Amino acid sequence: MTVRVNKSAFNIREKLSELERPIGVKGNELMRAETAQDARDLVSAGRKNLLINGDMRIAQRGTSGTKNGNGYGGYLSVDRWAGYYDDTTIAQTDVTINEKVKKALKVTGASPNGRPYVYQKIENGSRLVGDGTPFSISFWARASANAEATIQWRYYDNGNQNNSDNTTIKNIDLTTEWKHYKIENITEVDSNYSITRDAGIWFYNADGSVGSGLWFEFAEVQVELGKNATDFEHRSYGEELALCQRYFYKEPGLAYHPGILDGSSANYVEAWAYHPVEMRATPTAEFHQIAPFYYNNGAEASFTPSGGNTGYGGNSRVGYAVKQVVSNGPGSSHAQKVGQWSVQLSFSAEL
């Protein structure tokens, strides 16, 4: 028995022209993706930057600060970025890259002990890449002179540098001109891999010289999951600020608080602040007097805060109290009201 199969006619010329479409290598990969997730992974879609404040726009502490003594925790200017070495300056700067104005982080090894050295810790970062999951790093950078910079990746226990795994990812050559760098398809296994271990990225001068005045400058630093480094993710200013405030919060401008001096052997003033976001942990509080105190009768109280209980409360968005001993209180036997006093409160829960 004969079976006849009929097929609709098609234009061979049109089919051949389809083969000439400029799809490209990446287009072919996307066309071969079997699921939507495969396609998203190829282009690293979604919220991708594991770093906070990679575009250096947030600087709650101020535009510049200089490290005093060697040690971790040198958060001086640009939020989430810290230095280690004594006499190292960290500053927020305005720069122009490819005719676009951007914020940058400038780290200077000032004399005599400074070293261009800066890092950012990623809270619980081990759970994301510590099992060998590929990730990529990209950034803009330049230096005050031709120099070699080391990029290092670290894992360590939450909140400290114990049980650390330190790996140099790459040494790069910096020049005095802005250049964009990509380091792709990185796999760094954490030997103590767990859900609570932190991770972090370190930048510093490869030769270890100090006191030279050498500076590095970085902009749009990004660490993302995936084998490919993609365009920098621009989060909104408000979202980036809220992420930073999980670790550090400083009341803006003048904060006017009513207060009481308790008139006992140790006189106290107390202030409350309300966190805009929940902080990572119960923070360390600081109390900054920024204008003279006045008693309710209008007389100036010429005293300054000195010691006292500078932290009680919690890490939630509920009020947080700061209580300070007053060194020169009125010393009377009854409580004396302070009609108006101006302070600024700051809270730190940095890693």
Side-chain angles (χ1 to χ4, degrees):
M1 182 176 76
T2 303
V3 177
R4 185 182 299 275
V5 178
N6 293 321
K7 188 175 182 181
S8 301
F10 62 89
N11 189 318
I12 295 178
R13 191 183 302 276
E14 289 179 357
K15 293 294 182 182
L16 291 173
S17 65
E18 289 179 0
L19 299 177
E20 298 176 357
R21 290 178 180 175
I23 296 174
V25 175
K26 188 59 66 177
N28 283 325
E29 291 179 359
L30 288 170
M31 291 176 67
R32 288 197 295 269
E34 296 183 358
T35 66
Q37 186 60 50
D38 289 342
R40 286 173 60 86
D41 291 343
L42 282 168
V43 297
S44 299
R47 313 304 280 190
K48 58 191 179 183
N49 197 352
L50 303 184
L51 299 178
I52 296 174
N53 202 26
D55 62 1
M56 318 303 177
R57 282 184 297 169
I58 312 299
Q60 295 183 82
R61 295 171 177 85
T63 55
S64 180
T66 301
K67 187 76 168 63
N68 181 15
N70 293 342
Y72 289 108
Y75 295 95
L76 305 169
S77 172
V78 178
D79 279 65
R80 303 298 305 120
W81 295 95
Y84 180 90
Y85 286 96
D86 179 42
D87 209 21
T88 298
T89 298
I90 295 177
Q92 182 190 59
T93 56
D94 294 316
V95 300
T96 301
I97 302 174
N98 291 341
E99 300 181 352
K100 289 186 177 294
V101 176
K102 304 177 187 291
K103 293 290 186 182
L105 169 69
K106 184 176 183 179
V107 52
T108 305
S111 60
N113 303 314
R115 181 182 178 189
Y117 180 109
V118 69
Y119 63 90
Q120 182 175 146
K121 296 180 177 181
I122 303 171
E123 186 178 2
N124 302 148
S126 177
R127 69 181 178 86
L128 300 173
V129 295
D131 62 344
T133 296
F135 64 97
S136 299
I137 299 170
S138 58
F139 54 93
W140 288 93
R142 68 176 177 178
S144 56
N146 293 347
E148 187 178 32
T150 294
I151 303 171
Q152 192 175 75
W153 189 258
R154 299 187 180 185
Y155 297 108
Y156 35 81
D157 293 343
N158 182 254
N160 56 53
Q161 279 66 234
N162 294 337
N163 301 311
S164 62
D165 284 345
N166 304 340
T167 303
T168 295
I169 294 175
K170 190 173 184 180
N171 286 353
I172 59 172
D173 293 323
L174 299 181
T175 70
T176 57
E177 301 296 326
W178 284 108
K179 180 180 177 182
H180 193 249
Y181 297 84
K182 292 183 179 181
I183 308 171
E184 300 180 307
N185 195 20
I186 304 163
T187 55
E188 292 296 338
V189 175
D190 181 5
S191 62
N192 294 288
Y193 174 65
S194 77
I195 196 170
T196 60
R197 293 262 287 174
D198 295 335
I201 187 168
W202 264 249
F203 295 94
Y204 52 89
N205 55 325
D207 64 5
S209 61
V210 297
S212 62
L214 176 69
W215 55 256
F216 296 161
E217 210 163 18
F218 301 96
E220 295 187 348
V221 185
Q222 181 158 281
V223 176
E224 58 188 301
L225 298 180
K227 299 179 180 180
N228 305 301
T230 61
D231 290 345
F232 183 79
E233 175 188 17
H234 291 278
R235 292 189 284 249
S236 71
Y237 184 90
E239 183 178 357
E240 205 77 71
L241 176 61
L243 292 171
C244 291
Q245 287 175 334
R246 173 173 165 78
Y247 303 89
F248 179 82
Y249 167 61
K250 186 173 184 178
E251 288 189 316
L254 300 179
Y256 292 94
H257 299 271
I260 294 289
L261 300 182
D262 69 4
S264 63
S265 57
N267 298 294
Y268 292 91
V269 290
E270 186 176 275
W272 283 80
Y274 294 86
H275 301 164
V277 301
E278 182 174 335
M279 301 194 77
R280 181 187 68 86
T282 300
T284 300
E286 289 190 22
F287 177 109
H288 313 280
Q289 182 181 345
I290 53 179
F293 293 111
Y294 294 92
Y295 297 134
N296 58 339
N297 62 7
E300 182 175 339
S302 56
F303 54 75
T304 57
S306 59
N309 184 350
T310 58
Y312 63 94
N315 64 327
S316 69
R317 295 183 65 175
V318 187
Y320 189 92
V322 177
K323 190 174 184 181
Q324 286 281 343
V325 174
V326 173
S327 59
N328 254 344
S332 62
S333 59
H334 61 278
Q336 184 154 352
K337 294 181 180 179
V338 179
Q340 175 177 295
W341 46 288
S342 304
V343 299
Q344 196 167 41
L345 305 178
S346 63
F347 306 90
S348 177
E350 294 286 4
L351 289 166

